[in-house]
Amino acid sequence: MSRIYYQEEQKFNQWWIWMIMLLISGVWIWQLVQQVFMGIPFGNNPAPDLVVILIGLFPAFGIFLFRVLTLETNIDETGISYRFRPFQRKFKIIKAEDIARFEVKKYNPIMDYGGWGIRLGTSKKGNAYNVSGNMGVLFAFKNGKKFMLGTRNPESIKSALNKLMKQSDG
């Protein structure tokens, strides 16, 4: 059993995401009630009732997806493991010996990486996994590549990474 230095789970809990979901769902509910239950066509060229009902699957799926999306980060004596559930079942692992250096820093997710989520090949600054906020760990690897891993606990993750790197040196 390996010694755990750090664990973090992050979810998309930004208020603006949920406002968008609420707005989209509200429009659909309004359309559903008006057309299907009240019999008043919705818009100039209304869709059939079945289509109106099926359209509700999109906001329902969006709400479900943003509830289950989770960035999991673990640091133990074997390295840093991370995954974006439900898209990744297995953890990806960064071994301490592959890290040239790391820096816990503030960054701009939109300007630096094109937004939040799994950001692969979207930036000259490297790949990124992030969920919210603007704090993360920038890893520079011995092979020259870079990777940003978002965090909500910059001091705790820095402490854990220092333990990992010290343990791998000794």
Side-chain angles (χ1 to χ4, degrees):
M1 182 93 180
S2 61
R3 187 167 163 225
I4 296 172
Y5 300 139
Y6 179 82
Q7 286 185 307
E8 181 178 14
E9 280 192 3
Q10 298 180 64
K11 291 185 173 280
F12 285 93
N13 290 325
Q14 297 93 321
W15 67 269
W16 56 271
I17 289 176
W18 295 106
M19 287 303 293
I20 292 169
M21 293 294 175
L22 188 62
L23 180 67
I24 292 169
S25 297
V27 170
W28 172 73
I29 290 169
W30 178 24
Q31 179 184 20
L32 181 73
V33 169
Q34 180 179 321
Q35 184 167 316
V36 176
F37 295 110
M38 295 173 60
I40 303 168
F42 188 83
N44 295 332
N45 189 12
D49 288 354
L50 180 60
V51 172
V52 170
I53 294 167
L54 293 175
I55 286 172
L57 295 176
F58 290 104
F61 178 73
I63 289 168
F64 171 75
L65 184 61
F66 278 103
R67 279 310 316 145
V68 300
L69 277 173
T70 306
L71 174 58
E72 295 179 51
T73 305
N74 298 311
I75 300 174
D76 62 22
E77 55 197 20
T78 64
I80 302 115
S81 55
Y82 63 95
R83 70 177 175 180
F84 224 122
R85 264 192 355 227
F87 297 125
Q88 296 171 316
R89 292 176 58 168
K90 293 182 180 180
F91 282 94
K92 293 181 178 256
I93 298 172
I94 300 171
K95 294 183 179 180
E97 59 263 18
D98 296 334
I99 300 170
R101 67 186 184 291
F102 71 89
E103 177 186 4
V104 177
K105 64 181 278 182
K106 190 174 191 174
Y107 68 104
N108 186 322
I110 294 173
M111 297 302 290
D112 295 343
Y113 297 98
W116 291 273
I118 299 173
R119 315 305 297 173
L120 303 176
T122 58
S123 171
K124 293 178 184 172
K125 296 184 180 198
N127 297 330
Y129 275 49
N130 55 30
V131 170
S132 65
N134 59 358
M135 294 301 295
V137 180
L138 180 61
F139 294 98
F141 298 109
K142 291 178 181 174
N143 66 8
K145 293 183 180 181
K146 293 183 178 179
F147 176 67
M148 175 64 77
L149 182 61
T151 185
R152 289 202 182 125
N153 303 309
E155 293 304 317
S156 297
I157 200 168
K158 183 177 181 178
S159 173
L161 287 166
N162 284 329
K163 285 180 190 172
L164 172 67
M165 298 307 285
K166 189 182 294 182
Q167 169 253 308
S168 75
D169 289 340

